[in-house]
Amino acid sequence: MPDYDVIVIGAGNGGLTASASLAKRGAKVLLLERHNLPGGCATSFIRGRFEFEVALHQLSGLGTPEQPGPLRGLLGQLAVLDKIEFTEEDTLYRTMVPGEFEVTLKADRTEIIAALKEKFPDEADAIDKFFDLVWEFCMQMVSIFFMRDPEASREKYPIYCKYAIKSSKEVLDDYFKSPFLKLAIASYWGYVGLPPSRLTFMDMAMLLWAYTEFKPFHIKGGSQALSNAILDTFIKAGGYPRFNCGAKKIIISDGKVKGVITETGEEITCDYVVSNASTISTYMEMLDEKYVPDDKLKMLGSRSVGPSGFTIYCGLDCEPQDLGIDVSTQFISLNTDIERQFASWRTFDRPEMCGMSCYDVADPDFSPAGACQVAVINLQFADHWLTIPPSQYADVKYRYAQALLDIVEKVYPGFGDALEEVDVSSPITHLRYLGHPGGGFYGFEKFAKDSNLFIPPTSGIDGLYFAGAWAGMAGFQPTLESGVSAAKAIYRKMNK
Amino acid sequence: MTKQDIRQQIEGYAEIQAEIEVLRKYAHDRRADRGTVDRVINLLHPKELKLTVSEIIEETASSKTFRLISADGYLPPFQAGQYINIFVNLAGIRSSRPYSIASSPSQTAYYDVTVRRVEDGFVSNYLLDEVTIGNSLTSTSPAGLFYYNPLFHGNNLVFLAGGSGITPFMSMIREVTDRGLDRNITLIYGSRDPDDMIFKDELEDRAQRHGNFTFIPVISEPPPSYSGHTGFITAELMQKLLDDVKDRMFYVCGPEEMYTFCLPELDKLGMPKKRVRQEVFGPPKDITMEAGWPSEVKKDDTFEVQIRGGKTIPARADEPLMISLERAGITIPTSCRSGECSLCRTKLLSGEVFQPRGVKVRKSDRQFGYIHACMAYPLKDLEIML
Ligand SMILES: Cc1cc2nc3c(=O)[nH]c(=O)nc-3n(C[C@H](O)[C@H](O)[C@H](O)COP(=O)(O)OP(=O)(O)OC[C@H]3O[C@@H](n4cnc5c(N)ncnc54)[C@H](O)[C@@H]3O)c2cc1C
Ligand SMILES: Cc1cc2nc3c(=O)[nH]c(=O)nc-3n(C[C@H](O)[C@H](O)[C@H](O)COP(=O)(O)OP(=O)(O)OC[C@H]3O[C@@H](n4cnc5c(N)ncnc54)[C@H](O)[C@@H]3O)c2cc1C
Ligand code: FES
């Protein structure tokens, strides 16, 4: 008898839902996490009187109780819905080019269209047509993949087949003239980490559609509350979590998973492993080279590590309205050239855009009375960060942060004076806390070739499964779902 | 038809397949990157530092500086004001105490820590009386949040120090004066006795040589002939010493009493929260005197703590749970020992603990029963999960 049925490596979103689903179905599960608490990205930390949300800007896929999204069902099954509370945002975002342009899009298709038409009356027709396209595309995608239409074909789903992997830029250019209009519609590009020229239409359309239909949400107590709640389900179902205990090696024998060796050298046996660590470190560090299938080595080498990010966590000693902040999520760009903004993620050059989330707009209790919390973020790849000598790291970090704060100050004068607590995370910070190459919290880059249309979901090793952003789509909803899928696959196999 | 089929009918599918073939043919060999993640982490935040005492400097009758060099070649950078948590094995117990690095971060050939004797103290007396040149020590890497942040601290800093609380300031003062940084510092340093002021000579010397650094000792029990400022660091005194307090950032570090006295004085000056930074100071001398302590629990009450899957140990009400664990031979991760860093986060399965105000437990951690063992005092028998 092995010590455990399943060992789950990593307590990020994917690792947590995998562990909890398996334990709830009666499997004997050990969850190993190198950090001292659950969540991975989905965590928080305290500075002064603020508890800073690390990652969650907008939760997708939850939906309302009346119109539930896929995530609501999943969290219900994991018995976490009644343990935590969510706050709905009524707005998708505000897009701004300071001094030139500004539009706010509510989380409602009719209102989005009205707001855009008001700004761009010349393009009213195109706006209608574009949103028809997006909604029709997403409905077709839902029928094919979520309803699993057994008779799916190109004839039946022409829009899907025509547009799925087209570049978003091509479609936006086809429909629209104004660069401001294109910027406003493509504003979620940072959530995938690719500019419109590289972003598939499928990804852009799904983001717009899903956040509109299922609304963006925040979590009371932040994403740490979600992580704690899932872990609670796991513990109550008899699962055993171990923190401060990384996995070092996965033991293989006779071509099958046999167990895990921890960073302290302890050998623990099991039949299945779910890795929520990056696929790169799982194959390259945890498995003996002789067990890594050649095609996996090629797959890893043919893909590029996605962006990490740079966030300034700001605790302000005023209410959002004192500064005029009246929407939760904003994208501020100094120009409309997204391609150029994307290129700047590889340099320390002055940033030209930032995202800004104020958590107290939708949830006035998020911070103490008279105070509020804002996260200012721009994505960054890690490569240039890895070239800085350690002794200069702090200086570089502050310089880059100041440049981002200068952008915010343009829109909200007085922001800098209201700062009471500030901390900054860089790609190096994410690398340290997640153990992922390049601190990549989206996993690999998400070009068309990286979508699950092309990447087989299996590990190539009997008994080894993956959950999380490196093995599928990134973001809260997809990674939470990925863990449940891994659990189902294992459960099916255990009961054969 | 199957799903697979529709995928292949997507416009552009074949082109992407071809692209994938080419990329795989010329794939980067990821074996070349092995170990990169750990290497990057270890340059900034190694898990543990192996240290050797290279010099010991007598500072005052009650304090010494230990100059620590790396036993295996590398000390990571830190920000002036951060501390290391030094581990000791003493009387069969493995414990630790945080000490601020007093040397400047402009070099990391060594870290200086300056230790002042604490009466009946477990670790300070050991370091002062037993540790000699050449001895080995281990510690965490530098950590802590008491450091200058250029994004919002401004350029006019006022340091309020008491006793051994001078150490983080010493690092900051050394950095600013040695590197010629554009920051003005006023140090108001409270001490009982002018002769027991750690770093007094060096501070006077630096103040003389650098126009942007002002040193003001304040003596609470002055000898008869003493001519400087006397008494405590009051609002009145600060008002007199600093012409304009409004644009200043105040930093406070010292013994427990210093906070109880100085923070209300800063309130009187009208300083908002965002203009006051304070260092943590570890467990209070007498936890039963804290606001909110339940009077029915007495100092020497002892409870049983059952560790799930492990042994059951005794724990005194007036000692942090972490110390009871250490006494029983159980060490859990720790860095600040002050409730701030959350490394010692522990799940409380049943029972009740007292955590003084200011212990930084996340909201949802409170909801789901997590405690910071370094600042959690048992009020009942407990069951915990490590
Ligand atoms: C700043 C930021 C903003 C974001 N904003 C959003 C947003 O608004 N909306 C959204 O949907 N998504 C957002 N994301 C993305 C989202 O948070 C992530 O994609 C998702 O949380 C990744 O989950 P995961 O399951 O891949 O695990 P991760 O969070 O990557 O966690 C992996 C876990 O595995 C552990 N681990 C690694 N190696 C080992 C080992 N050897 N042994 C043991 N444990 C190990 C790590 O310590 C970690 O806990 C954001 C992320 C960040 C960082
Ligand atoms: C961030 C930080 C930085 C610091 N930097 C420095 C520094 O640079 N220099 C420096 O000298 N110190 C510093 N300290 C303090 C240092 O960490 C130790 O607390 C100090 O040296 C006393 O440790 P000790 O083991 O000698 O005393 P302890 O044994 O911890 O005793 C401290 C006090 O508590 C009492 N006590 C001990 N055991 C108990 C008990 N079981 N129940 C009730 N009371 C008890 C003792 O009588 C004594 O009065 C710092 C502390 C922090 C948190
Ligand atoms: S050791 Fe830092 S919170 Fe306990």
Side-chain angles (χ1 to χ4, degrees):
Chain A
M1 274 285 280
D3 301 326
Y4 292 90
D5 296 324
V6 188
I7 297 179
V8 177
I9 299 173
N13 284 333
L16 282 169
T17 53
S19 317
S21 310
L22 283 161
K24 265 184 88 73
R25 285 162 180 254
K28 193 173 173 204
V29 185
L30 172 68
L31 171 59
L32 294 176
E33 167 56 54
R34 52 197 278 288
H35 197 28
N36 73 321
L37 78 178
C41 298
T43 189
S44 68
F45 60 94
I46 297 184
R47 294 289 181 267
R49 54 182 175 148
F50 298 91
E51 180 172 339
F52 288 124
E53 164 66 54
V54 166
L56 184 59
H57 291 253
Q58 294 190 304
L59 185 66
S60 66
L62 186 67
T64 57
E66 302 74 47
Q67 205 196 331
L71 189 59
R72 194 170 281 274
L74 183 156
L75 296 178
Q77 285 186 349
L78 293 178
V80 303
L81 276 186
D82 43 347
K83 293 180 198 163
I84 50 177
E85 281 179 65
F86 299 90
T87 39
E88 184 182 334
E89 283 178 66
D90 62 358
T91 303
L92 296 186
Y93 52 77
R94 175 176 298 156
T95 298
M96 260 188 273
V97 182
E100 294 186 58
F101 169 72
E102 166 175 332
V103 69
T104 305
L105 303 187
K106 294 276 175 198
D108 177 273
R109 182 179 167 185
T110 317
E111 290 196 56
I112 294 173
I113 292 174
L116 291 174
K117 281 184 179 170
E118 194 193 320
K119 297 274 172 188
F120 304 97
D122 304 356
E123 307 202 44
D125 252 13
I127 292 170
D128 276 327
K129 287 196 182 120
F130 180 80
F131 279 89
D132 286 345
L133 173 70
V134 168
W135 256 251
E136 178 54 27
F137 177 88
C138 291
M139 291 326 296
Q140 294 196 358
M141 194 157 162
V142 167
S143 300
I144 301 167
F145 294 102
F146 298 93
M147 308 300 183
R148 298 167 195 270
D149 182 351
E151 281 155 23
S153 71
R154 183 171 189 148
E155 288 67 41
K156 201 165 170 192
Y157 298 111
I159 304 277
Y160 173 77
C161 289
K162 175 159 184 214
Y163 285 96
I165 56 178
K166 241 192 198 350
S167 93
S168 300
K169 181 170 188 303
E170 208 177 311
V171 184
L172 289 168
D173 287 347
D174 267 0
Y175 277 73
F176 304 121
K177 291 194 289 288
S178 163
F180 292 108
L181 176 54
K182 294 180 206 173
L183 177 73
I185 288 179
S187 285
Y188 273 147
W189 68 280
Y191 284 13
V192 181
L194 288 173
S197 65
R198 309 298 185 86
L199 180 67
T200 60
F201 181 77
M202 149 176 99
D203 281 347
M204 182 178 73
M206 270 314 233
L207 278 169
L208 260 182
W209 176 81
Y211 274 115
T212 307
E213 290 295 315
F214 300 124
K215 314 298 171 198
F217 280 85
H218 287 169
I219 304 172
K220 289 228 179 216
S223 58
Q224 185 71 60
L226 174 63
S227 307
N228 281 348
I230 305 174
L231 189 78
D232 188 64
T233 296
F234 175 62
I235 293 172
K236 290 197 168 128
Y240 183 44
R242 243 164 91 178
F243 294 98
N244 306 296
C245 184
K248 199 171 168 67
K249 287 277 169 209
I250 297 171
I251 311 166
I252 306 284
S253 116
D254 300 331
K256 267 183 66 33
V257 163
K258 273 281 143 18
V260 166
I261 302 177
T262 68
E263 62 185 12
T264 53
E266 197 181 339
E267 215 176 295
I268 311 170
T269 57
C270 64
D271 290 330
Y272 301 92
V273 163
V274 178
S275 178
N276 188 209
S278 73
T279 45
I280 296 181
S281 55
T282 308
Y283 285 116
M284 304 314 300
E285 314 271 355
M286 293 188 217
L287 284 167
D288 254 0
E289 193 169 328
K290 58 177 183 275
Y291 300 121
V292 180
D294 197 46
D295 69 312
K296 293 298 172 191
L297 200 60
K298 291 221 170 74
M299 180 274 288
L300 294 175
S302 70
R303 303 180 70 186
S304 43
V305 172
S308 183
F310 188 95
T311 308
I312 313 172
Y313 304 98
C314 306
L316 307 177
D317 80 332
C318 65
E319 299 286 355
Q321 62 269 20
D322 299 337
L323 286 171
I325 300 175
D326 58 353
V327 292
S328 299
T329 308
Q330 312 187 52
F331 300 106
I332 308 172
S333 304
L334 299 186
N335 53 57
T336 56
D337 190 347
I338 300 181
E339 305 296 325
R340 190 168 127 185
Q341 292 164 13
F342 174 67
S344 79
W345 289 358
R346 296 189 182 279
T347 72
F348 293 119
D349 295 350
R350 290 188 77 74
E352 296 177 359
M353 71 89 60
C354 67
M356 186 175 151
S357 289
C358 178
Y359 297 90
D360 297 81
V361 173
D363 176 7
D365 298 333
F366 202 86
S367 308
C372 70
Q373 179 182 142
V374 172
V376 177
I377 183 169
N378 187 26
L379 299 197
Q380 283 270 290
F381 286 92
D383 308 64
H384 51 301
W385 289 89
L386 300 179
T387 65
I388 316 168
S391 58
Q392 286 167 30
Y393 170 65
D395 285 347
V396 172
K397 200 167 84 165
Y398 289 132
R399 220 173 318 131
Y400 194 78
Q402 188 58 58
L404 276 176
L405 288 179
D406 290 346
I407 298 181
V408 175
E409 192 75 27
K410 274 191 215 292
V411 182
Y412 296 108
F415 189 90
D417 286 338
L419 293 171
E420 176 178 321
E421 289 291 341
V422 179
D423 213 334
V424 176
S425 72
S426 76
I428 305 271
T429 317
H430 294 295
L431 180 149
R432 173 188 177 199
Y433 283 111
L434 303 171
H436 296 335
F441 50 63
Y442 290 172
F444 287 111
E445 285 193 278
K446 308 297 187 212
F447 299 111
K449 71 177 176 64
D450 299 285
S451 75
N452 55 10
L453 297 172
F454 299 95
I455 301 283
T458 48
S459 75
I461 291 172
D462 196 0
L464 176 63
Y465 295 79
F466 287 107
W470 292 86
M473 293 207 298
F476 274 72
Q477 179 196 351
T479 52
L480 291 162
E481 289 170 348
S482 72
V484 174
S485 306
K488 278 187 186 148
I490 291 177
Y491 192 69
R492 271 198 301 272
K493 213 163 159 210
M494 280 172 80
N495 288 289
K496 249 193 201 148
Chain B
M1 280 200 198
T2 66
K3 265 193 293 178
Q4 200 53 43
D5 295 322
I6 190 159
R7 290 177 198 209
Q8 283 154 16
Q9 296 167 37
I10 293 171
E11 226 171 82
Y13 187 91
E15 287 86 337
I16 302 272
Q17 276 287 325
E19 182 191 339
I20 291 175
E21 287 313 311
V22 174
L23 285 167
R24 293 197 173 194
K25 190 161 167 197
Y26 301 106
H28 167 70
D29 189 344
R30 292 219 174 263
R31 286 175 293 197
D33 311 334
R34 273 199 188 124
T36 306
V37 167
D38 285 344
R39 209 156 41 237
V40 173
I41 295 175
N42 284 330
L43 280 174
L44 284 162
H45 305 283
K47 238 187 183 156
E48 188 183 81
L49 302 180
K50 292 188 170 45
L51 304 166
T52 306
V53 179
S54 77
E55 260 181 77
I56 299 179
I57 303 153
E58 305 268 348
E59 299 286 357
T60 65
S62 66
S63 57
K64 289 180 184 173
T65 292
F66 297 84
R67 182 152 295 175
L68 306 171
I69 58 173
S70 170
D72 50 11
Y74 183 76
L75 293 178
F78 63 97
Q79 304 203 56
Q82 290 191 305
Y83 57 81
I84 51 175
N85 190 20
I86 297 180
F87 291 91
V88 295
N89 289 304
L90 246 184
I93 296 173
R94 182 171 168 80
S95 187
S96 62
R97 294 292 181 274
Y99 292 96
S100 306
I101 303 173
S103 48
S104 164
S106 36
Q107 62 79 32
T108 52
Y110 58 82
Y111 298 155
D112 278 349
V113 298
T114 302
V115 178
R116 186 192 191 120
R117 192 179 302 278
V118 168
E119 218 179 303
D120 306 329
F122 187 56
V123 176
S124 60
N125 290 291
Y126 165 77
L127 291 171
L128 291 167
D129 300 335
E130 316 272 331
V131 169
T132 57
I133 291 175
N135 280 182
S136 304
L137 291 169
T138 59
S139 77
T140 60
S141 36
L145 306 171
F146 192 64
Y147 52 77
Y148 177 74
N149 183 327
L151 298 173
F152 70 117
H153 287 194
N155 285 343
N156 290 307
L157 316 179
V158 182
F159 296 166
L160 308 184
S164 68
I166 187 65
T167 51
F169 294 132
M170 203 58 212
S171 179
M172 299 185 207
I173 291 163
R174 283 168 166 160
E175 181 188 30
V176 167
T177 50
D178 286 350
R179 288 179 61 190
L181 300 178
D182 179 22
R183 275 174 233 163
N184 301 313
I185 297 177
T186 303
L187 167 69
I188 307 181
Y189 185 1
S191 179
R192 199 172 303 153
D193 161 0
D195 292 331
D196 198 27
M197 290 192 114
I198 312 173
F199 304 127
K200 182 161 162 259
D201 295 345
E202 183 179 338
L203 289 166
E204 280 170 351
D205 178 54
R206 284 188 187 258
Q208 226 160 43
R209 287 190 291 117
H210 299 277
N212 60 340
F213 171 54
T214 312
F215 169 42
I216 305 166
V218 179
I219 305 300
S220 62
E221 292 172 17
S225 60
Y226 192 75
S227 63
H229 294 281
T230 58
F232 293 109
I233 304 173
T234 59
E236 220 184 332
L237 178 69
M238 288 188 276
Q239 192 69 265
K240 200 169 86 189
L241 295 173
L242 313 160
D243 29 271
D244 186 13
V245 294
K246 286 291 172 250
D247 66 331
R248 312 270 186 153
M249 183 64 92
F250 285 81
Y251 292 58
V252 187
C253 182
E256 205 181 327
E257 310 80 57
M258 168 113 195
Y259 299 85
T260 15
F261 186 83
C262 286
L263 295 177
E265 296 300 306
L266 287 169
D267 275 345
K268 282 187 211 160
L269 280 183
M271 299 313 298
K273 273 200 172 62
K274 67 180 168 189
R275 302 270 96 199
V276 181
R277 318 290 308 164
Q278 18 172 332
E279 179 55 307
V280 295
F281 51 86
K285 277 211 183 86
D286 184 352
I287 189 66
T288 64
M289 302 298 285
E290 285 290 298
W293 179 268
S295 55
E296 65 277 13
V297 181
K298 301 289 173 253
K299 263 185 154 195
D300 50 4
D301 284 354
T302 301
F303 301 103
E304 284 196 341
V305 179
Q306 193 197 327
I307 300 156
R308 180 172 280 189
K311 47 186 172 182
T312 300
I313 64 162
R316 281 173 62 109
D318 67 343
E319 267 190 358
L321 181 58
M322 179 178 279
I323 294 190
S324 303
L325 289 165
E326 286 171 348
R327 286 190 198 285
I330 299 161
T331 33
I332 62 175
T334 161
S335 171
C336 71
R337 298 184 77 102
S338 306
E340 180 179 75
C341 74
S342 145
L343 263 188
C344 64
R345 179 182 181 274
T346 300
K347 173 112 177 153
L348 182 65
L349 294 165
S350 71
E352 196 191 331
V353 297
F354 178 78
Q355 298 186 89
R357 268 164 43 122
V359 175
K360 293 184 175 147
V361 179
R362 297 169 179 85
K363 269 188 217 148
S364 64
D365 278 353
R366 287 188 195 274
Q367 182 191 344
F368 289 98
Y370 292 88
I371 58 175
H372 290 182
C374 66
M375 285 285 257
Y377 297 79
L379 298 176
K380 291 187 177 150
D381 290 342
L382 310 177
E383 189 191 356
I384 60 172
M385 184 160 84
L386 294 180

